[in-house]
Amino acid sequence: MVPRTWGFWTRNKLDILSAYLPAFTTASSRKARGTTVYLDLFAGTAEGVERDTGQPISNSVQRALNTTPAFTQHYFFELPPVASALQEGLARQYPTRDDYRVVPGDSNDTINGVLSELRERKLDWAPTFAFLDPRNLGAKWATIEKLATFKRRRRNKVELWVLCFSSAIPRVLGGEGDTSVGAEQVTAFYGTDEWLAIKEGRDQGALDATQAREEYVNLYRWRLEKVLGYRITHSFAVRNTGGSPLYHLILATDNETGSRIMRDIYRKASLEHEAMRREAAERRRIRREEEHGRLSLFPAGEIAAGSPRGVAPYVHEAPWVPYTG
């Protein structure tokens, strides 16, 4: 299978995952006798490269399997064609590993069987981390709810790291004034039609595009906390080369230690993300100039590192309340 190409923001996202997973297994192992579970509901392919540089990027599956201390069990969910390729790739890379399973099919459906299996194996008490990194709005609220209510001891729910693709919602809905196209998909994503108030606020000019995106994220966080009962949520805005928001990464946890660790990781990642964004923008500018016969005197990385302007350190947000118009 041809490796997927990813923007610099994907590397930044996966670096956050790499920084957090060892902290999760280290803290959890002390309390759980070394027993931990990792769920990757949109695992993707085993190989990827950075779009601008061609450098290989280890995906979430590899980063999870390379985590030390290791998870006891890993489940990687993907649609059948990709799942088959992922299985073959992992068999080559990790020929002696028997602590993972690739689960073919739509994870919104196949999650039921895996959670039943974990219950049968008496692992419904173990510290569990679930990564949901879908394209568009692929993670349904019903799936989030199944994860949140899975564990025997509900005060320490499955920890979630979810990609909230708020910028995709206007496209899914089909444009301003039309809530019929894609409305069911958005409602399935939120588990409610409360998002309609945000859509109406945008259509009526009470919210601009940026405010609407933030409110879509706010609603998701509010429901994680108030409906599913997570004690803490944190969000991290991921931006493209031009600085426009692409999506938010939301951590939902009941653990104060995990919250503190991720808050620090987000703060560092925000600085790295901005530096990477500036470098990618400069690289593209240089490439355009070279295409027109003009050569740059300095490497993109050197130019990007020359000024800290535009760096916006991560700041923990206050608890959200739903937008009502």
Side-chain angles (χ1 to χ4, degrees):
M1 178 174 288
V2 177
R4 286 183 58 188
T5 58
W6 292 322
F8 74 89
W9 50 86
T10 298
R11 181 187 294 275
N12 191 233
K13 171 182 64 181
L14 294 172
D15 285 349
I16 293 174
L17 184 69
S18 289
Y20 187 72
L21 291 185
F24 178 89
T25 55
T26 297
S28 300
S29 294
R30 298 192 189 106
K31 300 178 181 179
R33 302 184 298 279
T35 303
T36 49
V37 178
Y38 177 83
L39 307 173
D40 197 327
L41 274 71
F42 300 86
T45 58
E47 297 179 324
V49 297
E50 190 167 335
R51 185 174 303 136
D52 291 330
T53 65
Q55 295 180 352
I57 300 177
S58 298
N59 76 346
S60 59
V61 170
Q62 294 165 316
R63 292 169 190 249
L65 287 170
N66 293 338
T67 296
T68 303
F71 284 90
T72 306
Q73 186 64 49
H74 311 73
Y75 292 88
F76 306 126
F77 300 74
E78 253 305 339
L79 296 175
V82 179
S84 178
L86 178 61
Q87 179 69 60
E88 293 175 4
L90 292 178
R92 289 192 301 270
Q93 295 175 44
Y94 303 95
T96 63
R97 297 285 290 265
D98 60 359
D99 58 349
Y100 71 86
R101 183 157 73 84
V102 177
V103 184
D106 184 339
S107 59
N108 292 293
D109 300 324
T110 56
I111 188 63
N112 297 321
V114 168
L115 295 181
S116 295
E117 177 182 319
L118 290 172
R119 289 190 183 97
E120 292 173 1
R121 296 176 59 186
K122 309 299 184 185
L123 291 176
D124 53 349
W125 62 271
T128 302
F129 183 89
F131 181 35
L132 295 91
D133 183 17
R135 294 186 180 183
N136 294 323
L137 306 179
K140 296 180 180 179
W141 184 261
T143 302
I144 300 294
E145 191 170 23
K146 291 171 187 175
L147 292 168
T149 58
F150 162 68
K151 292 181 68 175
R152 191 187 316 161
R153 299 171 184 171
R154 298 290 173 81
R155 62 186 178 86
N156 290 308
K157 294 180 284 297
V158 171
E159 197 159 285
L160 305 175
W161 201 41
V162 187
L163 186 148
C164 181
F165 208 158
S166 56
S167 62
I169 292 176
R171 296 196 300 273
V172 170
L173 291 173
E176 293 186 1
D178 183 1
T179 58
S180 62
V181 179
E184 289 185 5
Q185 185 179 352
V186 178
T187 297
F189 175 71
Y190 282 107
T192 180
D193 64 1
E194 290 178 272
W195 59 269
L196 281 167
I198 304 170
K199 176 68 166 58
E200 291 169 1
R202 176 71 180 118
D203 290 347
Q204 295 168 6
L207 298 172
D208 62 26
T210 299
Q211 291 170 327
R213 278 194 300 268
E214 291 296 329
E215 290 301 336
Y216 283 130
V217 178
N218 298 351
L219 175 60
Y220 200 83
R221 286 185 60 196
W222 188 88
R223 286 182 58 76
L224 286 169
E225 294 181 9
K226 304 304 180 183
V227 177
L228 297 184
Y230 280 95
R231 289 181 54 213
I232 308 165
T233 63
H234 293 295
S235 68
F236 181 84
V238 176
R239 301 177 184 275
N240 64 15
T241 306
S244 299
L246 287 171
Y247 50 77
H248 287 71
L249 297 164
I250 300 176
L251 176 76
T253 183
D254 294 321
N255 190 292
E256 181 59 42
T257 300
S259 167
R260 185 174 62 253
I261 292 170
M262 185 62 92
R263 186 167 57 243
D264 290 341
I265 292 172
Y266 274 180
R267 185 176 293 110
K268 295 174 183 176
S270 68
L271 299 175
E272 295 170 0
H273 183 76
E274 178 61 20
M276 293 166 71
R277 186 192 69 79
R278 287 174 56 82
E279 183 172 345
E282 290 295 336
R283 188 179 291 110
R284 291 189 178 186
R285 181 186 65 79
I286 291 171
R287 186 164 58 245
R288 286 195 299 268
E289 290 184 352
E290 290 176 343
E291 289 172 354
H292 290 85
R294 298 190 298 272
L295 299 179
S296 174
L297 296 177
F298 304 101
E302 185 175 332
I303 297 173
S307 171
R309 290 181 299 173
V311 174
Y314 164 77
V315 178
H316 175 52
E317 311 93 330
W320 298 115
V321 296
Y323 174 81
T324 56

